[in-house]
């Protein structure tokens, strides 16, 4: 039947794909990555494999128990450096990956915001400016990163840059997000709220 032919074609495709993948992995490891399992194929349980997502979580979890501010900053910077962008970017929009991709992105945003607030508490405004700018480049929707960048620029006396950054924020954020950013700035007693948002 047509249905049987379809499944046979699909099965052949999967077997060929796995065979090709196994041959490629054999070039870099003496141990098989994919092995037969009760359900067909699976990752070799004897191999200790850590995904990017798992590696990304390790320094963040250690940072929660860091004994000093410098060690916490160092661990959060390591987590920041491990972020590779969206998970399975080529599969964006596929329902089976959306929740993982969203969780990964939100964890990244949480980590960078924790890093920025920790560096701010240590008075490292140059570091805050550098990492906030990188965060905005990777996740433009991170309102806190926009706030931290303005906060750092203000402390460093870069008021003209801060005004330019406001214009950039208005281009990449929604009107609701801009309202939230305006609120964050207004709540910061160290920042010239009126001057920064005088252009509207």
């Amino acid at each position: 039947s047509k249905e049987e032919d379809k499944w046979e074609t699909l099965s052949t495709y999967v077997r060929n794909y796995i065979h090709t993948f196994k041959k490629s992995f054999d070039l870099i490891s003496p141990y098989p990555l994919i092995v037969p399992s009760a359900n067909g194929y699976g990752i070799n349980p004897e191999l200790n494999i850590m995904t990017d997502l798992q590696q990304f979580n390790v320094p963040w979890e250690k940072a929660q128990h860091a004994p000093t501010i410098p060690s916490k900053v160092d661990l959060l910077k390591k987590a920041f450096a491990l972020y590779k962008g969206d998970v399975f970017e080529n599969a964006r929009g596929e329902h089976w990956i959306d929740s993982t991709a969203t969780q990964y992105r939100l964890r990244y945003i949480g980590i960078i915001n924790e890093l920025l607030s920790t560096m701010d508490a240590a008075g490292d405004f140059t570091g805050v400016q550098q990492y906030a700018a990188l965060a905005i480049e990777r996740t433009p929707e991170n309102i806190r990163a926009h706030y931290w960048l303005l906060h750092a620029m203000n402390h460093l006396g870069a008021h003209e840059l801060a005004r330019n950054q406001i214009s950039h924020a208005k281009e990449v954020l929604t009107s609701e997000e801009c309202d939230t950013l305006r609120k964050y700035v207004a709540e910061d007693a160290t920042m010239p709220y009126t001057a920064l948002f005088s252009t509207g």
Side-chain angles (χ1 to χ4, degrees):
S1 71
K2 287 185 177 181
E3 193 67 24
E4 287 174 345
D5 290 344
K6 185 177 86 172
W7 281 110
E8 181 59 34
T9 301
L10 183 60
S11 176
T12 301
Y13 174 79
V14 170
R15 282 197 306 270
N16 288 341
Y17 183 82
I18 289 175
H19 178 71
T20 302
F21 189 85
K22 284 171 71 175
K23 279 176 62 178
S24 299
F25 191 76
D26 286 346
L27 297 174
I28 60 172
S29 173
Y31 306 102
L33 173 64
I34 299 174
V35 295
S37 71
N39 298 319
Y41 299 95
I43 300 295
N44 187 341
E46 295 180 12
L47 294 179
N48 183 21
I49 295 172
M50 184 175 281
T51 65
D52 284 351
L53 273 69
Q54 290 168 316
Q55 286 182 324
F56 178 64
N57 283 330
V58 169
W60 176 79
E61 287 168 357
K62 287 182 179 177
Q64 304 314 302
H65 310 287
T68 65
I69 293 293
S71 61
K72 181 175 183 177
V73 166
D74 186 54
L75 286 162
L76 290 171
K77 283 181 178 178
K78 284 179 181 173
F80 176 91
L82 285 168
Y83 182 74
K84 303 289 194 283
D86 290 342
V87 178
F88 299 131
E89 194 167 357
N90 292 339
R92 184 181 293 168
E94 296 286 344
H95 70 278
W96 58 274
I97 200 63
D98 277 351
S99 63
T100 301
T102 301
Q103 182 184 22
Y104 186 43
R105 195 171 180 90
L106 289 176
R107 171 62 61 87
Y108 167 75
I109 289 174
I111 284 172
I112 188 60
N113 289 348
E114 188 173 351
L115 171 61
L116 293 170
S117 64
T118 305
M119 287 195 296
D120 174 69
D124 181 8
F125 301 117
T126 301
V128 172
Q129 181 175 352
Q130 176 190 354
Y131 277 87
L134 285 170
I136 291 168
E137 193 178 308
R138 293 182 183 181
T139 49
E141 73 275 22
N142 184 351
I143 307 169
R144 275 285 175 192
H146 287 275
Y147 159 72
W148 282 119
L149 183 53
L150 293 170
H151 176 85
M153 287 174 170
N154 178 62
H155 277 275
L156 293 168
H159 304 298
E160 190 58 38
L161 279 177
R163 276 188 285 273
N164 291 339
Q165 180 55 35
I166 288 283
S167 298
H168 174 66
K170 288 176 179 177
E171 290 175 8
V172 300
L173 297 175
T174 66
S175 58
E176 291 82 6
E177 289 168 341
C178 280
D179 287 342
T180 301
L181 176 60
R182 199 175 275 112
K183 180 171 79 75
Y184 289 159
V185 171
E187 289 171 353
D188 185 339
T190 71
M191 295 180 70
Y193 170 76
T194 307
L196 275 180
F197 282 94
S198 59
T199 55

